[in-house]
Amino acid sequence: MRIRRALQRGNCEPWLLVLDNADDARLLIEGDTALARFVSRYRGGYVVVSTRDRYVAQVLMGKADSLTVTTLSLEDAKKLFRSRLPDDMDFDEDIKRQILENLEHLPLCITQAAAYIDCTKIKSERSLLEALDGDHVDLRRDYDSPNSVLRAWKISFEKIRGNYAQAGQLLSVMAFLDRQYISRDLLQGLVESRHQLNAALGILQGFCLVVAESSNDSFKMHRLVQLATRFWLLSKKTDYETLALKLVTAKFDQTGHDNKTTWRLLIPHAKVIETYEFQDKDSNLLLAKLLYNIASHDLHAGHYDIAAKSCQESYSKQVGLGGESNLDTLKTAGLLGVIRKHQVNTWMDLSEVLERQGEFVTSQELAEKALKVRKRRLGNDNIKTLQTLMHLALLLRRQARYRDAEALGREVLQGYRRILPWPHEITLKSGYALAGTLRENGKFEEAVTISVVFMCIALLRSELLTKRSQQSVRRLRRGGSEYSVTSILRHLLAINNLALGYRLKGELLKAEEHYRDICIAHDKCQRQNHPEAIQVCQNLAVVLRDQKKYEEAEKIGRDTLERRERVLGPEDLSTVNTALDLAMTLEQEKKYVEASSLALRVLAVRTKRLGEAHTYTLDTLFTIASINERLGDVNVAKEKFQVVLDGRMKTLGKDHPATKETADRLASLGITVPEDTWAVGEEM
């Protein structure tokens, strides 16, 4: 989470992220929290992925950026083998070649075989070959691991189990934990004294079966070592899974939740153990307890979906084994309720982020999940439920599904009227949103009626609110303020609503004055680069353009675009919206070449992010066609207007004003399209 937040800020130094053994497709590329959804969005660095799964590699990095790592050549394998052998020992070249062929030239197997030779002081070349060539099962069939792994570790494993019982027991339990960060403190639960633990770990290190981490307080084993050890313990698999469960659960009991460092080291082992299946009641009760601890940790880490899954599983086990009235069951039920609340809030947060990034379908899916839960738990007339509905209406509007967006917008407006005092600011906002949906769907008469009614109410309300607010802004203009930043920003929202009302009413000078006040206030509050401040500047530029104050509108538009690009990036939808506004200003100034270049940039982003048929994409293409016409490229303009007409017919229908406007522009260029030949339009 810390790494992700640092990348999201966008101001970190050039970075390199290494994902080693990235073999779990579910974690990396599937689901709402898939790592691939976030890694690919951040600029300024590089990602290196090592994986055995070609599908994962291609999804994460693409075919062009994927490299296949082959095994060592015979000469390189010989050099590695020689470097790991004692100085006074070597083998005949033919014997060495046979050994390396049996080990399939794998570096890890070569290193381990050399360690076995060093530890056992084996002298017979043929004895080593016979050990490596013994009976074995094909691990590629059962464990997705090369045969050489079994050959290399078979001899070491049998040697340790026969001669070093405690080391063998330690290795056996470690194989059923996560293979990394296995702490000394955790392993201490398997032996009586620290001396016995150190001796056993020394033996395992000598055979290169485990390696100390940098701090020397924890150990790790290679994935292939772990698989080979598990293979040899198949007949006692349940026994060692149970030992691992008891070991980790006991360590959780000994450690309070405040000790976050210890918990963080235990969680990976707990998540390995939660995948095991136990048949007896005592083990399942311990597993339920372990699942509770996992859920508690994931809750505090903000991984609410994962926490909910673990907690639900823990609750189900406890109900089945101890009953609903059991204290542990009730405790788990309480935790599950807390997780569910955070989970829904996170769905909405992520949905809003995805909406801003133009991923409307995924955003809608998350919002619908949140709505279902909020309706069930909070009711239809709860303010959070209505907020979710309003967000869904926005998403449908973004996808040009105006009929559905309108229905939800009316439901939201009626809901707010029922539960909030009139006229409440939130209710007024929902009215403006509904009017916007109606306007985009061509229902101008009703849109204007709603806008005028709500504007008059908002003006009366805002005039009362902003008399004091404007005094605060005037103080800010003079360089001082008696109000907190929070108070000032609350006043600015009221002034912004007032400016919007004047703008819709056509009183552009008043709107301009209020937008200037808001811009000054944001500057005084050191919020020049806040998205809200940038949006107000964009609104000011549009109002100036509408008054034909093109020079200042262009200057503010360029500054706004530069800030959008710096804060959000050049392909953010808000950035390209600003770019299109600037292009329209440049068009009015007859700076057609630059206007066309900007509009084409917007078209590329909107086509990529929203699709060719989206109304915003078609609006952009209409602007480009208009610029082409002004540049004298009439044939090009005709082609583009025809594409826009076809798209608007399918998306908006033939009666939509935007569709009729496109047909009129084609007619002005000498192309008349009879209405009975237009494609039948269906709302998306």
Side-chain angles (χ1 to χ4, degrees):
M1 290 297 291
R2 290 179 180 175
I3 294 173
R4 185 172 138 202
R5 283 196 292 268
L7 295 178
Q8 283 176 327
R9 286 195 294 268
N11 58 357
C12 50
E13 297 294 326
W15 51 269
L16 173 66
L17 177 62
V18 179
L19 303 177
D20 193 20
N21 291 322
D23 302 325
D24 190 342
R26 292 172 300 175
L27 172 66
L28 294 164
I29 59 179
E30 298 176 8
D32 298 337
T33 58
L35 187 59
R37 296 174 65 86
F38 304 101
V39 168
S40 61
R41 294 203 179 107
Y42 307 128
R43 298 176 297 278
Y46 297 90
V47 181
V48 177
V49 178
S50 70
T51 178
R52 295 176 300 122
D53 191 326
R54 289 183 181 274
Y55 172 65
V56 170
Q58 290 177 6
V59 171
L60 282 176
M61 311 305 294
K63 290 183 179 180
D65 294 326
S66 299
L67 296 174
T68 300
V69 180
T70 59
T71 55
L72 294 176
S73 67
L74 177 59
E75 289 305 313
D76 288 338
K78 285 180 180 179
K79 290 178 182 177
L80 177 62
F81 189 47
R82 173 64 266 177
S83 69
R84 294 293 187 270
L85 288 174
D87 293 336
D88 60 348
M89 183 178 295
D90 200 358
F91 292 94
D92 177 84
E93 285 297 313
D94 185 54
I95 296 294
K96 192 185 300 182
R97 180 184 56 77
Q98 292 181 56
I99 291 172
L100 295 173
E101 285 179 356
N102 278 333
L103 297 174
E104 299 182 26
H105 295 191
L106 290 175
L108 184 66
C109 299
I110 294 170
T111 300
Q112 203 283 325
Y116 175 81
I117 294 169
D118 188 25
C119 285
T120 59
K121 305 302 180 185
I122 190 170
K123 298 295 183 181
S124 170
E125 300 168 346
R126 290 296 168 187
S127 296
L128 179 59
L129 277 176
E130 288 170 4
L132 290 172
D133 224 3
D135 295 335
H136 61 273
V137 176
D138 187 352
L139 284 180
R140 279 174 291 195
R141 181 173 62 246
D142 294 326
Y143 282 87
D144 190 27
S145 183
N147 291 337
S148 57
V149 174
L150 184 59
R151 293 190 185 103
W153 277 284
K154 173 185 176 183
I155 49 179
S156 294
F157 186 79
E158 290 180 345
K159 179 78 174 179
I160 290 171
R161 290 190 71 190
N163 297 346
Y164 311 104
Q166 284 187 334
Q169 179 78 344
L170 212 65
L171 179 66
S172 300
V173 176
M174 290 172 75
F176 290 90
L177 300 171
D178 186 82
R179 64 182 186 83
Q180 299 183 90
Y181 297 106
I182 308 173
S183 69
R184 286 180 183 271
D185 287 342
L186 178 62
L187 295 174
Q188 189 63 64
L190 295 171
V191 295
E192 294 181 358
S193 68
R194 178 68 71 169
H195 173 72
Q196 290 176 332
L197 176 63
N198 291 338
L201 286 171
I203 292 168
L204 297 180
Q205 287 178 278
F207 278 88
C208 290
L209 293 172
V210 301
V211 179
E213 303 275 7
S214 57
S215 65
N216 209 37
D217 290 329
S218 61
F219 297 83
K220 63 181 178 181
M221 59 183 0
H222 195 279
R223 184 184 60 82
L224 300 182
V225 177
Q226 185 183 54
L227 288 176
T229 306
R230 286 186 179 185
F231 174 78
W232 285 108
L233 294 171
L234 278 177
S235 61
K236 296 183 178 180
K237 174 174 174 285
T238 301
D239 294 340
Y240 286 108
E241 287 176 347
T242 303
L243 274 174
L245 171 64
K246 291 179 178 179
L247 181 70
V248 174
T249 306
K251 193 63 181 176
F252 271 116
D253 290 342
Q254 296 168 13
T255 309
H257 192 274
D258 291 339
N259 192 334
K260 295 180 180 179
T261 301
T262 302
W263 271 59
R264 194 162 50 246
L265 291 174
L266 288 173
I267 286 298
H269 305 303
K271 291 197 173 187
V272 170
I273 294 168
E274 74 171 329
T275 64
Y276 301 153
E277 295 182 1
F278 301 97
Q279 302 301 321
D280 61 295
K281 179 179 178 180
D282 289 343
S283 294
N284 274 293
L285 283 173
L286 278 178
L287 181 58
K289 193 173 184 180
L290 188 70
L291 288 166
Y292 177 92
N293 289 329
I294 293 173
S296 180
H297 174 271
D298 285 333
L299 168 63
H300 286 87
H303 305 151
Y304 303 124
D305 285 0
I306 301 172
K309 182 179 178 182
S310 299
C311 198
Q312 182 63 60
E313 189 176 349
S314 175
Y315 178 73
S316 299
K317 286 182 179 295
Q318 288 174 343
V319 169
L321 297 171
E324 292 184 352
S325 60
N326 182 276
L327 290 178
D328 287 336
T329 306
L330 295 173
K331 180 181 176 183
T332 306
L335 179 65
L336 185 58
V338 173
I339 292 171
R340 292 294 188 197
K341 177 182 176 182
H342 286 288
Q343 188 179 31
V344 173
N345 292 339
T346 302
W347 288 341
M348 284 305 302
D349 290 342
L350 181 55
S351 177
E352 290 171 2
V353 170
L354 293 173
E355 182 270 323
R356 289 193 291 271
Q357 294 174 342
E359 298 184 28
F360 301 132
V361 175
T362 307
S363 177
Q364 180 184 336
E365 291 171 356
L366 288 169
E368 286 172 345
K369 285 171 64 176
L371 179 64
K372 183 178 179 181
V373 174
R374 284 179 169 173
K375 278 188 171 182
R376 185 177 69 247
R377 299 185 60 145
L378 304 175
N380 292 340
D381 282 345
N382 183 273
I383 191 135
K384 286 188 175 293
T385 305
L386 292 172
Q387 286 172 350
T388 311
L389 269 177
M390 191 169 179
H391 180 64
L392 266 174
L394 171 66
L395 290 168
L396 294 170
R397 178 179 169 185
R398 291 279 192 266
Q399 298 173 72
R401 295 173 55 184
Y402 296 121
R403 188 181 299 116
D404 294 336
E406 177 187 337
L408 280 187
R410 293 186 189 280
E411 184 179 347
V412 170
L413 179 58
Q414 292 168 2
Y416 281 137
R417 288 292 303 273
R418 284 194 300 270
I419 68 173
L420 295 174
W422 177 258
H424 195 281
E425 184 177 333
I426 295 177
T427 310
L428 296 176
K429 280 186 177 180
S430 67
Y432 284 134
L434 175 59
T437 300
L438 293 169
R439 184 176 63 253
E440 288 188 17
N441 199 26
K443 298 183 178 181
F444 291 122
E445 186 174 346
E446 186 178 3
V448 169
T449 300
I450 291 177
S451 295
V452 169
V453 170
F454 277 76
M455 181 184 65
C456 291
I457 296 169
L459 285 173
L460 289 171
R461 181 178 183 274
S462 296
E463 288 286 5
L464 295 174
L465 286 174
T466 58
K467 184 176 181 180
R468 181 179 57 187
S469 306
Q470 289 168 343
Q471 292 173 355
S472 300
V473 174
R474 299 296 183 269
R475 289 191 181 90
L476 280 170
R477 279 185 167 181
R478 293 195 299 268
S481 174
E482 299 173 3
Y483 297 90
S484 67
V485 171
T486 303
S487 174
I488 292 168
L489 296 180
R490 185 171 64 249
H491 295 332
L492 293 181
L493 181 59
I495 299 175
N496 187 66
N497 290 338
L498 180 62
L500 177 61
Y502 283 130
R503 180 180 165 192
L504 291 172
K505 194 176 178 182
E507 298 183 30
L508 300 179
L509 280 173
K510 289 186 178 181
E512 176 188 342
E513 178 186 359
H514 290 306
Y515 280 136
R516 289 188 188 277
D517 284 343
I518 299 171
C519 289
I520 290 170
H522 278 298
D523 288 345
K524 293 290 185 179
C525 294
Q526 302 297 314
R527 284 165 50 94
Q528 298 93 328
N529 292 323
H530 192 282
E532 291 177 3
I534 298 174
Q535 183 61 54
V536 172
C537 290
Q538 183 176 338
N539 294 342
L540 175 59
V542 171
V543 168
L544 291 170
R545 184 184 70 212
D546 291 344
Q547 298 176 77
K548 300 184 179 180
K549 299 178 180 179
Y550 298 130
E551 185 176 350
E552 187 178 7
E554 178 187 342
K555 181 181 178 182
I556 294 175
R558 289 187 186 280
D559 177 68
T560 303
L561 179 59
E562 187 275 329
R563 283 190 281 167
R564 287 275 201 210
E565 290 175 335
R566 188 174 67 250
V567 174
L568 300 176
E571 293 197 358
D572 186 86
L573 290 177
S574 297
T575 303
V576 296
N577 291 345
T578 305
L580 189 62
D581 274 340
L582 177 58
M584 294 169 69
T585 300
L586 294 171
E587 182 186 3
Q588 294 299 318
E589 295 181 282
K590 300 183 180 181
K591 298 180 179 180
Y592 300 130
V593 175
E594 186 179 2
S596 177
S597 176
L598 270 177
L600 286 170
R601 168 186 154 189
V602 175
L603 179 66
V605 174
R606 284 183 167 175
T607 301
K608 176 183 175 182
R609 302 286 296 276
L610 306 177
E612 293 181 351
H614 197 280
T615 54
Y616 294 174
T617 308
L618 296 173
D619 292 345
T620 312
L621 188 59
F622 184 92
T623 300
I624 294 171
S626 178
I627 295 172
N628 289 145
E629 182 184 358
R630 291 176 182 272
L631 284 169
D633 299 331
V634 178
N635 290 332
V636 175
K638 288 178 181 179
E639 293 175 2
K640 287 184 169 61
F641 279 131
Q642 186 62 59
V643 173
V644 174
L645 179 63
D646 294 341
R648 284 178 169 173
M649 275 299 308
K650 293 177 182 178
T651 303
L652 304 174
K654 68 178 183 178
D655 294 327
H656 194 283
T659 307
K660 293 180 178 179
E661 180 188 13
T662 313
D664 290 342
R665 291 298 292 271
L666 276 170
S668 71
L669 295 175
I671 299 178
T672 303
V673 185
E675 289 194 21
D676 57 3
T677 66
W678 292 1
V680 177
E682 278 187 11
E683 184 181 326
M684 290 177 64

